[in-house]
Amino acid sequence: MFVRRIAVIGTGYVGLTTGACLASLGHSVTCADIDVERIKRLARGDVTVHEPDLPELVAENLLAGRLSFVVGGLDAVNANGGAEVVFLCVPTPMGPGGAADLAAVEAVIAEVRGALAAGCVVVTKSTVPVGTATRVAALLGRDDVDVVSNPEFLREGSAVADFLHPDRIVVGSRSQNAAERVAALYARLGAPTVLTDATSAELVKYAANCYLAMKLSYVNAIAELCERLGADVIDVTEGMGHDRRIGQSFLAPGPGWGGSCLPKDTHALLQVANTAGFDFGLLRATIDTNVRQHQRIVAKVTDVVGQPLAGARIGLLGLTFKAGTDDLRDSPALAVAALLREQGAELTGYDPAVPAPVAGYTDALNVVDDPYQAAKDSSALVVLTEWPQFRSLDWARLAEVVYRRCVVDTRNLLDHDVLRRVGFEVRGVGR
Ligand code: UGA
């Protein structure tokens, strides 16, 4: 069943991916944002979000007339005679105390509530606190409009693939009919669908992201144990991952987990638990272990340099929170950089997706456009993001430009034998 009129409010990577993918499933979608320049660019097919396949998908659906862009939620809701389904994909950043900040959601509701057509369904797609669907319904104050929670499980860097090949669709609402209408939008994807109440749907999102964070903190803790016991975390996690109950994914240790979702969602669920009177010690330990992981990387750098870091030049390879994105939000690379800086290190960083200079970090970190320049005269090179191209750098050339041949490979990305052959001392994580 195709829905002729869908409004998607918010054009971050979630909103844009949702809009373009729903259009490619045959629905007719109007996307809105308040940033006029951004909307003008998107209407020309100029997609600045760093997301594989998204520019092509937007262009294709613009051309087919299934996707359009307007300024403001009101215009999106009113487009083509009134939206049947409205997706809220606005940002919900971490507010004071760790709870998600719903100001953008509330502003959109205030803007569109009077304009919604009778029978319309409002869908919360942004990650919102448990209980938000009830709050949105109260803010709407409309008996003739249903609210549905339909969390997204899109990873940055593979959002289009995740949308079109989902592991599951989760839809929750007080109204069975509204939930079924939203689930039907995805029918062509043939994914397992969980129909539930709105509170459970909202909790699925947090429970899943926090579980992933917990898995990563567990692996980082096992990596530390491997170092103490003389075991190799690569073999340990491979041995664990063959157990189908555990699985191979999310088992790679690193400098800590980051990004715009996992840090925000772990703090938000902790806040939800506190409010509900539940002491979620396991989740607190997950967060604490992550902070400790940043500190552990700094200790490794100090150890390999063999002296205090004050005045030492350190080259950073990779700044984004993971490979395949240009996103620096809550990047563990920047958390490690801040700690190194606190120790007095002079930092030069290179990232293939981050053109120099980087606003806001220039005092603490000199960002350059060339990895060999980042390495120049460094006492240690620290690999912080798992960009595959770092493997094929000319390590013999790097050996010539550094001051000391030391590498801390926080992603266990490089071939350590190759590096050792050209004279580098190398430290990985968990081995
Ligand atoms: C995460 C979830 O994976 C998505 O399912 C979810 O939809 C999304 O948040 C969201 O809430 O919107 P994302 O933030 O794009 O997606 O990043 P991930 O791929 O989950 O990576 C998070 C962090 O874990 C990164 O810093 C990454 O480097 C780290 N990581 C991941 C590891 O250190 N090791 C691994 O094996 C995997």
Side-chain angles (χ1 to χ4, degrees):
M1 178 195 75
F2 299 140
V3 171
R4 285 203 313 278
R5 302 184 304 267
I6 295 178
V8 174
I9 304 179
T11 59
Y13 87 95
V14 171
L16 211 48
T17 303
T18 300
C21 289
L22 285 172
S24 75
L25 291 177
H27 307 299
S28 180
V29 182
T30 306
C31 289
D33 210 309
I34 46 175
D35 182 338
V36 179
E37 284 312 310
R38 186 180 176 82
I39 288 298
K40 275 189 195 157
R41 282 203 310 272
L42 287 170
R44 292 195 301 268
D46 180 3
V47 176
T48 48
V49 176
H50 194 286
E51 202 55 66
D53 301 329
L54 193 54
E56 294 78 5
L57 210 62
V58 167
E60 193 181 300
N61 285 291
L62 275 171
L63 202 65
R66 287 189 295 262
L67 182 64
S68 58
F69 293 95
V70 297
V71 179
L74 206 53
D75 279 4
V77 161
N78 285 332
N80 310 320
E84 296 164 71
V85 181
V86 178
F87 281 88
L88 302 181
C89 300
V90 291
T92 52
M94 186 163 27
D101 178 353
L102 285 181
V105 172
E106 286 165 2
V108 171
I109 301 292
E111 184 189 1
V112 304
R113 60 181 290 276
L116 297 171
C120 172
V121 179
V122 173
V123 185
T124 54
K125 192 93 179 147
S126 318
T127 305
V128 288
V130 178
T132 298
T134 312
R135 184 145 159 226
V136 166
L139 289 170
L140 280 170
R142 296 268 309 256
D143 292 342
D144 55 349
V145 173
D146 284 311
V147 179
V148 165
S149 164
N150 170 219
E152 51 83 14
F153 304 100
L154 311 175
R155 285 164 302 171
E156 283 187 44
S158 55
V160 170
D162 287 348
F163 193 106
L164 296 175
H165 308 282
D167 288 339
R168 79 299 209 184
I169 304 288
V170 176
V171 185
S173 179
R174 213 167 45 180
S175 154
Q176 173 88 8
N177 176 266
E180 281 170 5
R181 275 173 66 196
V182 172
L185 299 177
Y186 302 96
R188 279 181 63 193
L189 299 176
T193 301
V194 179
L195 287 183
T196 179
D197 60 277
T199 306
S200 302
E202 287 165 344
L203 192 54
V204 168
K205 171 64 192 220
Y206 284 102
N209 269 5
C210 293
Y211 181 83
L212 293 173
M214 187 185 68
K215 194 173 179 188
L216 291 173
S217 276
Y218 181 80
V219 157
N220 284 331
I222 289 291
E224 179 166 0
L225 197 54
C226 285
E227 287 169 20
R228 287 172 190 257
L229 300 177
D232 187 333
V233 76
I234 306 275
D235 298 338
V236 172
T237 50
E238 194 196 335
M240 287 167 63
H242 283 299
D243 185 326
R244 273 169 296 178
R245 293 168 303 174
I246 297 174
Q248 294 286 359
S249 65
F250 271 69
L251 280 187
W257 39 268
S260 66
C261 306
L262 265 45
K264 174 173 74 96
D265 292 353
T266 42
H267 282 98
L269 189 59
L270 203 54
Q271 177 83 11
V272 167
N274 283 342
T275 309
F278 171 56
D279 179 15
F280 204 155
L282 187 57
L283 187 53
R284 217 179 23 255
T286 297
I287 297 169
D288 291 346
T289 302
N290 202 41
V291 173
R292 183 174 151 70
Q293 191 67 5
H294 303 149
Q295 292 157 349
R296 257 179 32 83
I297 300 302
V298 175
K300 271 178 193 292
V301 178
T302 311
D303 186 48
V304 80
V305 170
Q307 60 189 58
L309 297 177
R313 286 209 52 189
I314 306 292
L316 308 180
L317 295 178
L319 300 173
T320 54
F321 82 95
K322 65 175 182 179
T325 173
D326 61 354
D327 200 339
L328 293 167
R329 284 177 292 174
D330 262 310
S331 171
L334 296 180
V336 169
L339 291 176
L340 289 169
R341 187 74 192 129
E342 265 174 42
Q343 306 276 317
E346 300 291 328
L347 306 176
T348 307
Y350 164 76
D351 188 292
V354 181
V358 180
Y361 296 101
T362 38
D363 286 349
L365 170 65
N366 176 29
V367 179
V368 294
D369 281 325
D370 172 47
Y372 301 94
Q373 202 185 332
K376 198 165 177 312
D377 300 330
S378 63
S379 291
L381 271 174
V382 188
V383 176
L384 288 162
T385 311
E386 72 284 24
W387 288 105
Q389 50 267 58
F390 291 158
R391 272 196 211 111
S392 47
L393 287 172
D394 183 345
W395 285 94
R397 184 177 159 201
L398 285 167
E400 293 310 313
V401 303
V402 295
Y403 174 62
R404 300 172 71 147
R405 294 177 180 173
C406 298
V407 169
V408 176
D409 178 8
T410 73
R411 298 282 186 169
N412 293 331
L413 173 78
L414 308 170
D415 184 333
H416 294 186
D417 290 339
V418 168
L419 269 70
R420 288 192 180 111
R421 275 202 291 278
V422 292
F424 278 102
E425 185 180 346
V426 193
R427 303 281 160 84
V429 170
R431 48 201 322 227

